[in-house]
């Protein structure tokens, strides 16, 4: 079905940072524990929670990523239902949204660190080309540390050490650790060569300890903030949210979500090293890679007024295919989750306007047109100027200007 006429809407400029001044830093509490490309700013999520939900409501995020919506929901006394294709979700959430009432003990962490430094059975990631990413002696050192970590009791301390080990495993690799995208650089190779001239092992252990202590402190700050209330949430990583089967009768009072970007949504590739260290196998990685949105063939062609105008402008079949795939699968995910919303509930979708073939694509407008034909009314479109949001890399791409604004599309279920 085509939205034959454009839908009228006024875009309102806002600053979520100004609207939610109580959040003073995007990485407050445990928001900064894991780095994740194209993370939501917590201010935007908090704004929607405050405007459109009540305490006790359940919010769904089918593109949960690093769980920004989950943490903000729990801090506001809402329940969260989080899904993502990335298996990492199930490693991030138990730590980022720690459900214990008691603070973690630095002394226990220190004991566990000792156990790790004493070594144990080596752990070998199931990746034939892992050697490409490391100097052989560093790889062997990390295999001992990970082996020992995997023998620890499966509790929150093990998760703290897992998160810290992920950070040092990237830092001590040939992969550029200051950028999200996984790639080897010449400067990083020189850096590692330099480390190998000195006592790299002591340095690695020191860094692991510092990272783990910082993570523990952040988790303890969260425990203090929650003051005895236990967050209520469900999370499931490794799922395609477009075909996820919600329990019959499951209802949500809001959706707050930020889908992948039209181009450069390489989440699985970005986290490959992490996923192999976590113990995922080649076939697990292949399974989720095949489900990642830009790499799948479209199973239907979405048509809306704006999308058809963009299509008419594109010069290459490859770009049209990418566009078809993106809208088909992103909208499958939203259709699936939004079917579970109660009447009157809002769907708050946060997305930028990327450039394709020199043309700015108003993704929010395509979504708005699509859903206005499917029982949703557009309540508002808020434009937020981007201050800092790290996407994937500074590589040359088809969008050299980057995106200057992001848009919060607010739809109301009729
Ligand atoms: C923009 S990120 C979300 C970031 C998140 N809002 C945060 O604050 O961390 C988009 C997410 O979509 C996920 N994704 C891509 N394809 C998916 C699919 N078919 N089903 C579920 N999630 C998918 C990616 O793994 C990524 O985490």
């Amino acid at each position: 079905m085509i939205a034959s006429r454009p839908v009228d809407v006024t875009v309102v400029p806002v600053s979520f940072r100004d609207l939610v001044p109580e959040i003073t830093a995007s990485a407050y509490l445990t928001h900064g524990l894991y780095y994740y490309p194209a993370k939501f700013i917590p201010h935007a999520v908090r704004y929607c929670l405050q405007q459109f939900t009540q305490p006790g409501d359940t919010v769904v995020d089918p593109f949960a990523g690093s769980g920004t919506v989950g943490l903000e929901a729990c801090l506001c006394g809402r329940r969260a239902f989080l899904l993502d294709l990335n298996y990492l979700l199930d490693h991030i959430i138990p730590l980022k949204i720690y459900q214990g009432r008691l603070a973690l003990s630095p002394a226990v962490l220190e004991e566990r660190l000792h156990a790790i430094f004493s070594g144990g059975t080596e752990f070998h990631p199931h990746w034939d080309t892992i050697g490409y990413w490391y100097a052989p002696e560093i790889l062997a050192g990390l295999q001992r540390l990970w082996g020992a970590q995997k023998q620890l009791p499966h509790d929150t301390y093990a998760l703290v050490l897992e998160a810290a080990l992920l950070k040092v495993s990237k830092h001590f690799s040939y992969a550029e650790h200051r950028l999200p995208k996984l790639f080897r650089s010449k400067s990083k190779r020189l850096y590692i060569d330099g480390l190998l001239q000195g006592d790299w092992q002591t340095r690695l252990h020191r860094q692991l300890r510092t990272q783990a202590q910082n993570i523990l402190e952040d988790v303890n700050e969260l425990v203090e903030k929650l003051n005895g209330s236990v967050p209520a949430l469900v999370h499931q990583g490794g799922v395609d949210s477009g075909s996820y089967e919600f329990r019959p009768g499951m209802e949500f009072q809001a959706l707050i979500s930020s889908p992948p970007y039209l181009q450069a949504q390489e989440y699985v590739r970005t986290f490959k090293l992490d996923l192999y260290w976590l113990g995922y196998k080649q076939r697990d990685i292949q399974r989720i890679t095949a489900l990642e949105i830009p790499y799948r063939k479209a199973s239907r062609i979405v048509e809306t007024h704006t999308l058809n105008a963009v299509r008419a402008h594109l010069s290459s079949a490859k770009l049209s295919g990418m566009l078809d795939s993106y809208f088909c699968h992103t909208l499958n995910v939203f259709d699936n989750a939004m079917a579970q919303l109660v009447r009157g509930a809002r769907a708050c979708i946060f997305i930028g306007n990327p450039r394709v073939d020199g043309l700015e694509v108003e993704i929010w407008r395509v979504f708005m047109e699509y859903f206005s034909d499917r029982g949703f009314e557009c309540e508002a479109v808020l434009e937020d100027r981007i201050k800092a949001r790290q996407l994937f890399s500074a590589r040359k791409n088809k969008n050299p200007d980057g995106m200057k604004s992001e848009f919060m599309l607010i739809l109301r279920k009729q």
Side-chain angles (χ1 to χ4, degrees), residues 36-40 61-68 83-86 239-242 258-261 267 291-293 296 333 389:
Y36 208 84
K39 248 190 205 182
F40 241 140
D61 182 356
F63 293 115
S66 67
T68 312
L83 301 173
D84 200 282
L85 187 59
N86 195 343
V239 298
D240 168 29
S241 302
S258 170
Y261 284 70
Y267 286 92
L291 292 168
E292 210 176 1
I293 282 176
R296 299 166 69 178
V333 169
R389 201 180 189 211

Side-chain angles (χ1 to χ4, degrees), residues 2 38 58 63 67 73 90 96 103 151 216 236 256 262 271 319 342 359 363 368:
I2 304 176
T58 305
F63 293 115
D90 294 333
K96 182 164 180 164
Q151 285 166 350
L216 181 128
Q236 201 171 331
I256 304 178
L262 192 51
F271 290 107
L319 286 178
V342 297
L359 184 75
I363 297 188
M368 178 185 73

